[in-house]
Amino acid sequence: MDVDNLLDSGLGRDFDDDFEPFDTAGDADLPEERFLDRELSWLAFNQRVLELAEDPATPVLERTNFLAIFASNLDEFFMVRVAGLKRRILTGLALPSNIGRAPHDVLDDISRRAHELQERHAAVYQSLVSP
């Protein structure tokens, strides 16, 4: 590839003019709490899986599948994400979350939210799936 083609492709320039410059000041009209914590966002995703099991329009065997998916996802979440967060806290390497919250606060929120979801999971199994 010759130099002229390299420049035409946009790969040879330091400045990328395809995008507007990033505004680091932000928009004053947007609320500060518009971002979710990464871990709590993951729990919200898994809640949506649980809601599929709670849906009365979902057939019983499908509900069972969604309950199993929920439980498997939650297990993996604790084995990987929560264990990693605890390990970083213990070693002193834990940084504030993507929204600036302290790691201990995030861990407390995870515990509270996960317990709520586990209670819902058990209730769905007992009332909607179990023979």
Side-chain angles (χ1 to χ4, degrees), residues 70-111:
F70 170 85
S72 176
N73 286 349
L74 198 60
D75 284 347
E76 183 178 349
F77 174 74
F78 272 89
M79 287 188 292
V80 177
R81 305 279 281 270
V82 174
L85 179 59
K86 284 183 172 185
R87 190 171 36 255
R88 288 190 305 275
I89 290 171
L90 287 174
T91 59
L93 299 174
L95 300 173
S97 70
N98 62 318
I99 59 170
R101 297 190 61 229
H104 288 286
D105 293 339
V106 173
L107 203 54
D108 290 342
D109 287 346
I110 289 171
S111 176

Side-chain angles (χ1 to χ4, degrees), residues 11-24:
L11 297 175
R13 294 179 271 156
D14 290 336
F15 177 72
D16 185 0
D17 60 356
D18 291 340
F19 301 100
E20 294 292 322
F22 184 70
D23 180 14
T24 56

